[in-house]
Amino acid sequence: MERSERLVMGIGIAVMAVFFALVLLLATGFGVDVPGCITEMKPFEQDTVFQTAEKRYEMHVIARMWSYQMPPVEFPVGSTVDIYLTSGDVVHGFHIDRTNVNLMAVPGTVTYARVRFRTPGEYPIVCHEYCGIGHQQMVGVIRVVQ
Ligand code: CUA
């Protein structure tokens, strides 16, 4: 092995050691950690859908591998729904077909969207972020009725 190769390898190992020491220092000395799961906090103690006014609803959804924790939902046509979304494990997606709702479900974070359902029918929900082996099964539905 040439001297320049040993030098490059030595620098590489030294840089890795510095980064590892920094990660350890941040994790132990400063309490820096990955975000906790917000689903232990209100309003995500349990999945909920409730009415706030006439044709106004609020929906709290928790995404977990590999489903959305939400009851079967049915809204009257013309309803406006405020959606609050979080994740209980990894990053998921939340796209409601036939609407412009396209959210990310991120652990430790709440994402929000407001949607008005103008036409009756079924609005499929799909996860659009690869979240593991059951990703393709992660679907839901919202029914809008007259
Ligand atoms: Cu959840 Cu893909």
Side-chain angles (χ1 to χ4, degrees):
M1 186 181 294
E2 286 200 21
R3 187 166 181 258
S4 60
E5 289 175 316
R6 282 198 300 267
L7 180 67
V8 169
M9 285 179 61
I11 291 171
I13 289 169
V15 168
M16 282 191 337
V18 167
F19 280 122
F20 185 70
L22 282 174
V23 168
L24 275 182
L25 182 68
L26 288 172
T28 57
F30 294 95
V32 176
D33 202 354
V34 294
C37 183
I38 206 161
T39 55
E40 293 167 6
M41 301 165 57
K42 289 181 179 179
F44 290 97
E45 287 176 334
Q46 56 188 14
D47 49 311
T48 47
V49 177
F50 55 91
Q51 191 165 8
T52 55
E54 190 179 349
K55 292 201 173 187
R56 290 295 304 266
Y57 294 86
E58 201 167 300
M59 196 163 106
H60 303 153
V61 181
I62 304 167
R64 286 188 198 277
M65 289 186 269
W66 290 279
S67 65
Y68 299 107
Q69 291 184 342
M70 54 186 266
V73 281
E74 196 173 279
F75 301 115
V77 69
S79 293
T80 301
V81 182
D82 292 312
I83 300 165
Y84 295 88
L85 175 73
T86 191
S87 171
D89 40 42
V90 300
V91 174
H92 298 276
F94 186 89
H95 171 68
I96 305 177
D97 198 24
R98 298 167 52 206
T99 70
N100 60 0
V101 174
N102 190 348
L103 298 171
M104 300 279 291
V106 181
T109 304
V110 177
T111 50
Y112 166 80
R114 175 175 286 171
V115 61
R116 183 159 185 225
F117 294 102
R118 297 172 195 276
T119 55
E122 288 200 345
Y123 291 76
I125 303 168
V126 295
C127 177
H128 58 76
E129 292 291 327
Y130 183 71
C131 55
I133 196 162
H135 162 73
Q136 74 281 356
Q137 303 161 10
M138 196 163 171
V139 294
V141 69
I142 291 172
R143 287 184 180 82
V144 177
V145 294
Q146 285 286 1

